[in-house]
Amino acid sequence: MADLTPLFQPKAIAIVGASNKPDKVGHIIVKNVINHGFTGKIYPINPKEQEIAGLPCYNSLLQVPDKIDLAIITVPAKACLDVMEDCGKVGIKHAVVISAGFKEVGSEGLELEKKLLFTCKKYGIRMVGPNCVGVMDTNTPLNATFAAGFPLRGDIAFISQSGAMLISIMDWSKTIGLGFSRVISLGNKADLNEADFIEAIAEDPLTKVVLCYIEDVHNGRHFLDVVSRAAKKKPVIILKSGTSQAGAQAASSHTGALAGSDLAYETAFTQAGIVRARSMTELFDLATCFSYQPLPKGDRVAIVTNAGGPGIVASDIIENTGLSMARFDRETLEALRSYLPAQANIYNPVDVIGDAKADRYAFALEAVLKDPYVDSVVVMVCPTAMTDPKAIAEEVIRLHKKYPDKPVLTAFMGGATLAEGAKRLTEARIPVFTFPEPAISSLAGMVNYVRRSDNTPEGEPIQFDDVDKNAVKAIFYDVIRDRRNVLLGSEAAAVAEAYKISAAPIKLAISPDEAVALAEEIGYPVVLKVASPKIMHKTDVGGVKLDLRNEKEVREAFIEIMENVQRYLPNVIPYGIEVSQMMPRGTELIVGMTRDMQFGPLIAFGLGGIYVNLLKDVSFRLAKGITPGEIATMIAETKAATLLRGYRGDKPADMMSLIDMVARAAQLILDFDEISELDINPVFAYPDGYSALDVKITIEF
Amino acid sequence: MADLTPLFQPKAIAIVGASNKPDKVGHIIVKNVINHGFTGKIYPINPKEQEIAGLPCYNSLLQVPDKIDLAIITVPAKACLDVMEDCGKVGIKHAVVISAGFKEVGSEGLELEKKLLFTCKKYGIRMVGPNCVGVMDTNTPLNATFAAGFPLRGDIAFISQSGAMLISIMDWSKTIGLGFSRVISLGNKADLNEADFIEAIAEDPLTKVVLCYIEDVHNGRHFLDVVSRAAKKKPVIILKSGTSQAGAQAASSHTGALAGSDLAYETAFTQAGIVRARSMTELFDLATCFSYQPLPKGDRVAIVTNAGGPGIVASDIIENTGLSMARFDRETLEALRSYLPAQANIYNPVDVIGDAKADRYAFALEAVLKDPYVDSVVVMVCPTAMTDPKAIAEEVIRLHKKYPDKPVLTAFMGGATLAEGAKRLTEARIPVFTFPEPAISSLAGMVNYVRRSDNTPEGEPIQFDDVDKNAVKAIFYDVIRDRRNVLLGSEAAAVAEAYKISAAPIKLAISPDEAVALAEEIGYPVVLKVASPKIMHKTDVGGVKLDLRNEKEVREAFIEIMENVQRYLPNVIPYGIEVSQMMPRGTELIVGMTRDMQFGPLIAFGLGGIYVNLLKDVSFRLAKGITPGEIATMIAETKAATLLRGYRGDKPADMMSLIDMVARAAQLILDFDEISELDINPVFAYPDGYSALDVKITIEF
C-alpha cells in the first residue's frame, strides 16, 4: 500500500505556478493554503514574481533550499512535464496536478498524460490528477484546492471523480452542518485512483466513513481486492454514475471515462461489501447517518411519533426497505401503558398523540431504547400547538447520550416552528430529516452494511486439481483447425467432462443408420439434435426431436430434422445429427457467463429452459475468488432456489453437486480466457445430482 | 355532485364552542378566522360568554339573527348531537366538526358518530370530520382550523386524512415558498370524503393541482368513478399509506381506518389516471412541478450543465425513470458548436463547462428550448469560481417567459453560494432542487400523467348477451345440493362454456372401462385427472397423467392415479377420473381473479403453468367497466406478451380471442358475486384461438 500521508499532512509544500493575479488558480490555491490554516512551510514557484501573498517566490523547484513533501502544480499542461522532472530531481515524492489539458481534451492530451505518468514512475512520484481540483485535509489543516471555501471538520472522507460535484458538495455541506476529514478530487486519475485512496483512508483514524463518487474503475480486480478489505474496516459508500446507456454516453464525453456495464459494478460492489447510493441525496443521507450514529445491531426499528398518519407512512417504508417493525417486550408495553394517555398507541409505532410535551416523548423514547428487541429508533415530531420541539430535541439528545449504542434518527416534520430543535439535533450529531423516508432508507443502508459484514460468505475459493486442461486445449485446437469458433455439442460436452461437469453423453451420427446404432448403444429414449456451428437456436429451426423411443422414431426424426434444416436454412450443411440420452426431467437451470473489461468473467446461475431470456431469473458473481458460500448465496437469490428446495411436494435438489458444478464452470472460464461464451442450458437438477443437457461454448482470441 | 362552495366561501359562519381561553381550540379558531382576513360575518356561540375576540357571543345557534352558511363545531363530542340538531333547525347546510371522541376512540364513539351522521342526513347537512383540523381557503380567505399559521396563497389544493400531517405541511411549505388554494382535513370522514372534495375541487378555477394524503377509501367504486373524471381535468396526486402489512396495522390503530390491499389501490389508481406519490418528499416535489410548470408534450429531456459529472448522474436518472435524452436537431447542434468553446459538449447533456457565465447558459438554454425535439429542460449549476448564479437564474426566468410552453426545472447544486439565485427561481415559479434526482423524477411523474391522459385505452366496456346465466346457476345449484363449494373440473368447464370461454371438453369416468370408452369418444391422446373437490393441486399427488395414446395406457393410468391418491391422501375418495383431450401445447397463460372489499373483483392475466406463483408475471385490472383496449394494455404489461407476439420464430397468438376470453371472465365474476375463486390455468394460446385446459371455480355465499 502506498503511503499517502504526505499528500494530506505535508510539512512543506511547493505551489508551482503560483500567481499574484487574483483570478488565477495559482493565486487562489496559495490563498486557500494560507487562509485555511496550513502551519507548514509554503514555497510559491514562479520565475516572474518576487513575492506572492507575502511569501518569497522561487524561480524553480531546484532553487528551494528545503525538503518539499508535496508539489501542487498549476502550470499549463505543456509545462507540467518539466516541472515533474524537477520534482524528481529534488526528491519530491508526491504531486497534485491541477492543470487541465490532458486525456480529457483528446489524443494529444493523452500522449502528454502518458509522458507525465512515465516521469512520475521514473522517479517514484505518486500523482493526484491531472485535471483535478486538489486535495483537502481539515485536520492538518490543508486546503490545496482552488475551491471557494473549506468544509467543516468532520469524520467523512469524500473522493470525487467530478471536480464540479466536489465543489458543489463542499458549498452545500455547510447548509446541513456536515463535516469532512479529507476531500480528494481524482481528476483523470492517471496514477492514484479511488482504490488507492480508499485503501489509505481505511487506515486514517480520523475518518469514520468513506464516500466516493466515481464514473468508472480502471482495474476492477485490484479495486475489488482493495475495497473488500477497506469495507471491513469502515463503511465505503459509493455513488457510481454512468450506469445507464445514456449516462455512459455522457460519461464518455467527459473525463475520458469508459463506464463499464452496470451489472459488473453492481456485482462487484455487492461482493466487496460496498454500500451503493442510488442518488446524490442518498449518498449524503447515508454519509450523515453513518457518520453521526452507531451501527444498528439488527433490523428492528421502533417509531415514536405524536401523530398517527406519519407513523403509518413510516411503517410502510420500514417494510418496503426490508427492515422490520420492532415488537416490544412486555415490560416496555406495560411501562408505556402506565404512563401514556389512554388514546395513545403503545404498540409500534408508539403514538404519544398530539398534545405530547417533551416528558412524554422522553418516557416513550427511553422505554424503547431500553427494550432488548429494538435495534434503532426513529423519533417523529409534528408541530401541534402543544409541541415544544426544542425541549423534545434536548430530551432526544440526553437519551441518546444515555444509550449511545442504538442509533436514533429523527424526522422533524415542519418548517420554522421546528427549526431550532432541528438545529440542536444536528449539533448533537443526531440526523434530522423533514420527512421520515430518508431517515428510514438510510437506516436500511446501515442495516444492510451490518448484515453483509456479519454474513460474509465463508470458505476459501476452491481450486480443482482434478481437471484436464490438456483435454480442453486439444478440443479447442481441433476447433481452430476446422476454422470454427463455435464448438459442436459433442465437443462442448467433452470440455465439460474434462472439468468434471456431468454432461449427458452425446455422439455424432452422420446417417440414419448410425443414429440408430448410437441410440441402441446409449439406450432408449434418446434425443436427436442437428449438429452445426451455424445453428445456435436449434429448436427454432426444427432441429431437435425429443423422447424417441425406438428405431423407427429415430430414423424418421433424423430425416425430418434434415428436412427442417434444409427448409429453414437452405445454405447450411449440418455436420450430422447428435444423439444423446433423453434425461429424465429435473428442475431446469442455466449456468452461463459474461466477461467484463474491468472485472473479468462473471458466472451466472438461474432458471433455465427456453424462456430464460424472458424470465431473467439470473444471479451473477465475479468468477475470481468465488467461494462455495458465495455460490450458495448466489443460488439462494434466484427464484430457481424455491424450486431447488423442493416445490409443491418435489424432493429437494442436491445442492452440493450444483455448487460444485458452478465452481467448476467458474474455474473453466478463469482458466481459459479465450472462452467468450459458455452457456449450459438446460441443466437438469435432481435429488441426487444433475445433468448438463446442452453445453454451448464459443472461443475467441 | 355536492355543492361545497359554502364550505370554502361562506358569507356568514358560526363557531360553536368559541372560547375566550387562549389555549382552547374554540379560541384559536375564532382568532384564525379573524386574523387571516375572513371578511364575512362571524358568530361565536357559547352560553357562558358575552363577547369573544371583540365579537358579540350567542347562547346558541337558534339565537343568531342571520342566515349562517357554515358551522364550525368544537364542543365536546357528546354535545355535538344537539348542536347538529340546532344546525338543522336553523337551516345550516354545511358543518365542520373539529371535536374528537368519535369512531377513533372505539365502539361508543362509533355509535355517537353514526347518530351524528344520521342527524346530518335528516336535515341534508354536509359534514366535514368529525375529529378534524378544519378547512382553509386562501382566496376567500378563510382559516377555519386550529393550525398555527396560514399557508401562502397558491394553486394547490391539499386534502389530508391526517390532521398532524396537514399541520406539518402547512408549517414546512413556507420554507420552500409553496402556496395553496384550499386545504381540507378529512378527519373521520363520516360524511364528506376524499372523493367528494376531489370532485368539487376539480371544478375550482383557482386550483391547478389536487394533492391528497389518504390511508383508506370507503367506497372504492364511487371513488374510482369520481376521480377518473377529475383526473382528466387536472392532475390528482395521491400519497396512499398503509400499503405495507406493517403500515396497515398502524393504520388500523389510527382514525379507525382499514387499509385495503395495495394491489387493488395500485390498480385503481392506475386506471383512474392518478399520479401516485411514493413518499412525502415525492408528493410535494410533484406538487411543485405540476403547479409551477406547464405539462411536457413528450418525454425528451435536454440537460444544460456546467459540469460533466452531474450531467452523467442526470442522464442515468432520465433513463432509469423511463424518460429519454433528447437528440438535438442539426440546427441546434450547429448553433451550440458555433457559440460554445471547443471543450464544451454540444450533445445532450450540453456541458457549457466550468467557466460559463450567464450568457453561455442563456445561449444554450434558448437553443434547446427552440429545438422541436426537446420537450423539457433541466438546468444544472455547480458553483465554480466563475459562476454567477443570480445572473443565470435571471436568464432562466427570462427564457422561460419567452418559451412558456416547455417545462424548465433546475438543480442548483450547492449551498450559500447559490441561495440568492435559487430564491429568485422559486419566486418566478421555476422549481429548484439541490440535486438533479428529484427534478427528473418529478418530470417523469408529469410525463406519465400526460401519457395516461393521451392514451386512455379506447372503447366501451363489452356487455356480452350471448352468455347463459341460467346454465351457470343450475351448475352452482347442483354443487350446493352436493354440499360442496369447489366445482369439479367438468362442472367448471361447463360454466366456462356457458360464458363462451373455450374449455377443453372434460368427461367424468368412474371406472377404467368408462375412461377408455370416453377416451375413444374424445379421441387419443387424452389426459386423465383425478376428480375431487378436496384435491386442489392434482399434479402434486400424482393425480394427473398426460399424453395417453391408447387403451392400455388409459387403463393403467386410471389405476395408477387411484393408487397415488390413496397413498398421498388416504382419506379422500375421489368422485372418479376426468378424461379430456390432450391439447397441443400452446403458450401457457393464466386468467384469474381476486376480490377487494373496496374496489370489487380484479381480473388477472399472466404467464401460466405450474410455476405461476413463482414467476408472478401477472397483471391486474378492476373487472368493472373494463374495455378491450384496457385488456390489451393489461396483456402488454406482462412478459407473456413477448411470447404471444411470437417468440423466437413462433407464430403470434390470436390476440383478439384472448381479449374476448378475459372480457368474458370479467363479466362472469361481475355477474356472480358468489364466485370467490376463478383460476383458469393453463390456458393454451394458439395462432388461431386458445383453449382453457383447467378451470377451477370456488363459490361462497
Side-chain angles (χ1 to χ4, degrees), chain A residues 174-195:
Chain A
K174 287 185 196 166
T175 63
I176 61 156
L178 202 64
F180 291 85
S181 53
R182 291 175 176 180
V183 175
I184 299 106
S185 166
L186 293 172
N188 292 1
K189 44 185 189 179
D191 177 29
L192 291 168
N193 60 32
E194 56 287 332

Side-chain angles (χ1 to χ4, degrees), chain A residues 23 28 100-101 104-105 146 148 162 164-165 167-169 171-173 175 213 215 239-255 278-281 284 306-313 315-320 325 327 343 345 348-349 351 381-386 413-418 434-438 537-540 547 549 553 586-588 607 609-617 639-640 642-643 647-650, chain B residues 23 28 100-101 104-105 146 148 162 164-165 167-169 171-173 175 213 215 239-255 278-281 284 306-313 315-317 319-320 325 327 343 345 348-349 351 381-386 413-418 434-438 537-540 547 549 553 568 586-588 607 609-617 639-640 642-643 647-650:
Chain A
D23 61 343
I28 299 169
E104 78 281 6
V105 298
F146 60 86
S162 160
M165 193 174 293
I167 294 174
S168 285
I169 296 305
D171 190 36
W172 165 80
S173 65
T175 63
Y213 166 77
E215 289 159 13
L239 175 63
K240 156 83 176 71
S241 73
T243 56
S244 65
Q245 219 191 330
Q249 273 165 15
S252 66
S253 67
H254 173 248
T255 330
R278 301 288 160 183
S279 70
M280 293 179 67
T281 317
F284 288 95
N306 65 344
I312 304 171
V313 170
S315 306
D316 285 345
I317 307 158
I318 285 174
E319 192 165 304
N320 295 340
M325 288 290 282
R327 299 174 71 90
Q343 282 161 283
N345 183 32
N348 201 10
D351 185 353
V381 177
C382 290
T384 75
M386 312 296 283
M413 303 176 61
T417 314
L418 304 178
T434 305
F435 297 126
E437 296 87 357
H537 296 299
K538 302 183 174 100
T539 310
D540 296 359
D547 200 12
R549 302 182 185 189
E553 289 186 1
T587 304
E588 281 188 83
L607 263 186
I610 61 162
Y611 297 151
V612 62
N613 292 319
L614 188 72
L615 302 175
K616 295 191 174 62
D617 174 48
K639 286 179 183 166
T642 311
L643 299 179
Y647 188 65
R648 287 178 43 178
D650 289 347
Chain B
D23 61 343
I28 299 168
E104 78 281 6
V105 298
F146 60 88
S162 160
M165 192 173 294
I167 293 173
S168 285
I169 295 304
D171 190 36
W172 165 80
S173 65
T175 63
Y213 167 77
E215 290 158 13
L239 174 64
K240 155 83 176 72
S241 72
T243 57
S244 65
Q245 220 191 329
Q249 273 165 14
S252 67
S253 67
H254 175 247
T255 331
R278 301 287 161 183
S279 70
M280 293 179 67
T281 317
F284 288 95
N306 65 343
I312 304 171
V313 170
S315 306
D316 285 346
I317 308 159
E319 192 165 303
N320 295 340
M325 288 290 282
R327 299 172 71 89
Q343 283 161 285
N345 183 32
N348 201 9
D351 185 353
V381 178
C382 290
T384 76
M386 311 296 284
M413 303 176 60
T417 314
L418 305 178
T434 305
F435 297 126
E437 296 88 356
H537 297 299
K538 300 185 176 98
T539 310
D540 295 358
D547 200 13
R549 302 181 186 189
E553 289 187 1
Y568 281 103
T587 305
E588 281 188 82
L607 264 185
I610 62 162
Y611 297 151
V612 62
N613 292 320
L614 188 71
L615 303 175
K616 295 191 174 63
D617 175 47
K639 287 179 181 166
T642 311
L643 300 179
Y647 188 65
R648 288 177 44 177
D650 290 347

